[in-house]
Structures are given as structure tokens and as C-alpha cells.
């Protein structure tokens, strides 16, 4: 997985180019969106295009097509503007892979999952069950406390992952490889804006606290899914998965592999090697086999 095979990336949403093209805005402000979302979209757009120096209240007004002073009324300080950008970043990232897109998720109502039982797969249940619970200690306005009545997306904190049934390792590998492939092909601009905000957080302690609390929305589901796959140390293994994903995303978005994106099959192979290395030697229903009539997928993906 340290090497990537060049592949043509499809255009991202709103016409943004894929990984083989220049980064574009994460989401162009839509006139029908709420004012908060339009400001957040414009802020992320400017971060991708101009960097942190290009993010000003006036520039956001212009990019969002709002009357002058609108952004200042919504977010009076630069800290408030940055928090608006972080909040919108998390909302958009939570839409990269929805529960019904997860491999094995239920289709039409009543459709049977891979085990023959109706309803979503273990991966989908993990993602759904860990959402929509306010996280204690999250700053006001963080996910779960969004403005304008927007639905929250914060799960429970790392110490309280959502419980659910055993999760086959193959299903988890499929889910993770699909999500990462979405990021690298259709949502690469979101990675650029995330890195801009993360670097700024290293210089602003108040933003660091907000950024960390907002980002924890993705930690709980991963810990829950890792535990369901049979991990005896889900917190540590989730950290290893996150670190591996972050390294690969940075390499493909801004590092040495910025012009080459791994195929989903390659991503699946990498996740499978990593997860089976973590879970090797254990027994139980969470341990899936990668070969056989139902599988025979060791590193190959039917994308």
C-alpha cells in the first residue's frame, strides 16, 4: 500500500476534479442552502483555493454571494469563522459514506442483509448507532449542537461506542476501503481544507479544542466497528487504522503520491493486511474468512 497505481479519477461533486486534477472547492455554496451552510461552504472553498490567508469575512461574503456584512453577523470573530468552517467540514465529511452505502447495508425496506436477516449490516448498525448522540464536553456549535436547527452528527465519545452484534472482518474491510476511495477520488478537496484547518489549530489553542471535539464524531463508530470485528484492544487498533488512513490520504492529497490514487482493490488489500494482522490468532463470530465460495476476495474488489 505504500505504492499507488496511477488511475484516472472521476470528477468530484459540483464539478470538482478528482485526485488527478487540481484541488477544487469541497462544496460550492448553493443558493438554496441555509446561510450557515453557504458561509461554511464558501469558507472551505477559500481555504482550498487561497489557503488560510485568503479566508476573510469579506471574501466569504463575496464567494457565498451574500450581502456585505452577512458573514460578520453570523461569525463576528475570526475564531467564530474558523469554527463555522470546522463545523461544515465535519458535516460534509459525515456525508462521504452514508450508512446505506456501506457494503452489506440493507437495500429496500425488508431486504435481507448478507447473513439473510433483514436490516442493515453490522457496519451500518455501527455507523448509525454511534450517531445523533450529543458528546459530553463538546463545545457549543460543535456537531450535535449545530446552528439553524441543523441535525447533529456527533456520536458518543470514544469511551462509549455503540454496542451491536458481531461484524465480519470482510464487511469492515469493504466499508473502510469504500470510504477511503470516496475521499481520494470524489472528495479530495475536503482533505485539503481539513489540513488547512488542522495546521491552523496547531497555532490556536482555542481552535485546537474545538477541532478535536468536532473530529471525535468519527472516532466512536470506528472503535465500535473494530470491537465488533473481534479486536481485544479496539481503542488502540482504531488509532492504528486512523493513522494509516491519515498517512495515505495526506500522501495522495499533498504528498509524494498526489498524482496517483490507489484503486479500491489496492485499498482493500491494505486494509485487509492491516486488520488481519491486528486480529490474527483470535476466534469468534467477528472473524471473517477472505476466501471460499462467498469470498475469494483476498485483495480483489468487485467495485
Amino acid at each position: 500500500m505504500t505504492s499507488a497505481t496511477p488511475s484516472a479519477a472521476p470528477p468530484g461533486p459540483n464539478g470538482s476534479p478528482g485526485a488527478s486534477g487540481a484541488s477544487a472547492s469541497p462544496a460550492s455554496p448553493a443558493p438554496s442552502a441555509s446561510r450557515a451552510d453557504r458561509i461554511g461552504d464558501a469558507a472551505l472553498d477559500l481555504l482550498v483555493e487561497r489557503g488560510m490567508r485568503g479566508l476573510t469575512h469579506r471574501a466569504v461574503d463575496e464567494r457565498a454571494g451574500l450581502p456585505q456584512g452577512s458573514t460578520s453577523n453570523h461569525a463576528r470573530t475570526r475564531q467564530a469563522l474558523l469554527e463555522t468552517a470546522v463545523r461544515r467540514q465535519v458535516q460534509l465529511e459525515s456525508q462521504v459514506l452514508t450508512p446505506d452505502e456501506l457494503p452489506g447495508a440493507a437495500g429496500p425496506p425488508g431486504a435481507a442483509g448478507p447473513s439473510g436477516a433483514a436490516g442493515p449490516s453490522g457496519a451500518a448498525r455501527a455507523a448509525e448507532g454511534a450517531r445523533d448522540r450529543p458528546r459530553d464536553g463538546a463545545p457549543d456549535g460543535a456537531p450535535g449542537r449545530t446552528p439553524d436547527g441543523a441535525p447533529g452528527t456527533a456520536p458518543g465519545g470514544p469511551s462509549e461506542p455503540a454496542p451491536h452484534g458481531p461484524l465480519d472482518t470482510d464487511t469492515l474491510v469493504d466499508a473502510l476501503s469504500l470510504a477511503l476511495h470516496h475521499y481520494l477520488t470524489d472528495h479530495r478537496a475536503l482533505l485539503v481544507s481539513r489540513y488547512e484547518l488542522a495546521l491552523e489549530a496547531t497555532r490556536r489553542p482555542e481552535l485546537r479544542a474545538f477541532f478535536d471535539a468536532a473530529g471525535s464524531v468519527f472516532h466512536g463508530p470506528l472503535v465500535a466497528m473494530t470491537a465488533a470485528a473481534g479486536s481485544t484492544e479496539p481503542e488502540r487498533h482504531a488509532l492504528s487504522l486512523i493513522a494509516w488512513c491519515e498517512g495515505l490520504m495526506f500522501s495522495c492529497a499533498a504528498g509524494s503520491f498526489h498524482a496517483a490514487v490507489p484503486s479500491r482493490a489496492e485499498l482493500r488489500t491494505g486494509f485487509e493486511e492491516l486488520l488481519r494482522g491486528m486480529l490474527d490468532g483470535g476466534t469468534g463470530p467477528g472473524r471473517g474468512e477472505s476466501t471460499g465460495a462467498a469470498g475469494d476476495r483476498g485483495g480483489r474488489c468487485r467495485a
Side-chain angles (χ1 to χ4, degrees):
M1 280 304 302
T2 56
S3 63
T5 301
S7 60
N14 303 301
S16 61
S20 60
S23 296
S25 63
S28 300
S32 60
S34 70
R35 177 162 294 194
D37 286 352
R38 292 176 67 182
I39 290 172
D41 289 341
L44 296 180
D45 189 355
L46 290 166
L47 286 174
V48 172
E49 182 181 312
R50 305 178 188 176
M52 195 59 63
R53 291 184 179 181
L55 181 63
T56 66
H57 287 76
R58 180 185 294 273
V60 172
D61 284 339
E62 293 175 354
R63 182 57 58 93
L66 294 171
Q68 186 174 340
S70 297
T71 301
S72 293
N73 288 334
H74 176 81
R76 294 191 178 279
T77 65
R78 184 164 183 80
Q79 171 67 15
L81 179 57
L82 290 169
E83 290 182 1
T84 297
V86 171
R87 186 181 301 115
R88 186 58 174 159
Q89 176 82 25
V90 173
Q91 289 173 343
L92 292 174
E93 289 195 2
S94 71
Q95 298 166 14
V96 169
L97 191 69
T98 58
D100 60 347
E101 287 184 285
L102 289 168
S115 63
S121 68
R125 289 196 303 273
E128 290 174 327
R131 287 186 174 189
D132 302 322
R133 297 204 305 272
R135 198 185 73 84
D136 293 340
D140 291 340
R145 299 192 179 104
T146 53
D148 301 334
T153 55
S159 61
E160 50 171 340
H164 53 78
L167 175 62
D168 185 88
T169 309
D170 275 342
T171 303
L172 179 55
V173 167
D174 281 339
L176 293 172
S177 60
L178 180 59
L180 189 54
H181 194 254
H182 274 343
Y183 268 116
L184 296 177
T185 55
D186 298 336
H187 301 280
R188 193 172 142 201
L190 276 176
L191 299 178
V192 177
S193 55
R194 183 206 292 183
Y195 298 142
E196 289 285 349
L197 290 166
L199 287 172
E200 185 67 8
T202 66
R203 297 180 285 266
R204 289 175 174 263
E206 66 278 14
L207 181 62
R208 175 85 274 166
F210 188 89
F211 186 91
D212 290 347
S216 68
V217 68
F218 304 108
H219 184 89
L222 185 57
V223 172
M225 288 189 285
T226 305
S231 170
T232 57
E233 298 183 74
E235 285 279 356
R236 185 172 66 83
H237 288 160
L239 175 60
S240 294
L241 283 170
I242 291 170
W244 188 84
C245 290
E246 288 284 3
L248 187 62
M249 288 190 294
F250 182 84
S251 182
C252 290
S256 56
F257 290 103
H258 64 90
V261 174
S263 67
R264 189 178 159 202
E266 290 174 305
L267 294 175
R268 193 185 191 288
T269 298
F271 275 118
E272 188 168 52
E273 291 170 344
L274 187 61
L275 279 167
R276 295 204 184 281
M278 293 175 179
L279 307 177
D280 184 44
T283 59
R287 300 285 196 263
E289 295 296 331
S290 61
T291 60
D296 195 21
R297 297 184 288 180
R300 298 186 298 279
C301 171
R302 301 185 185 97

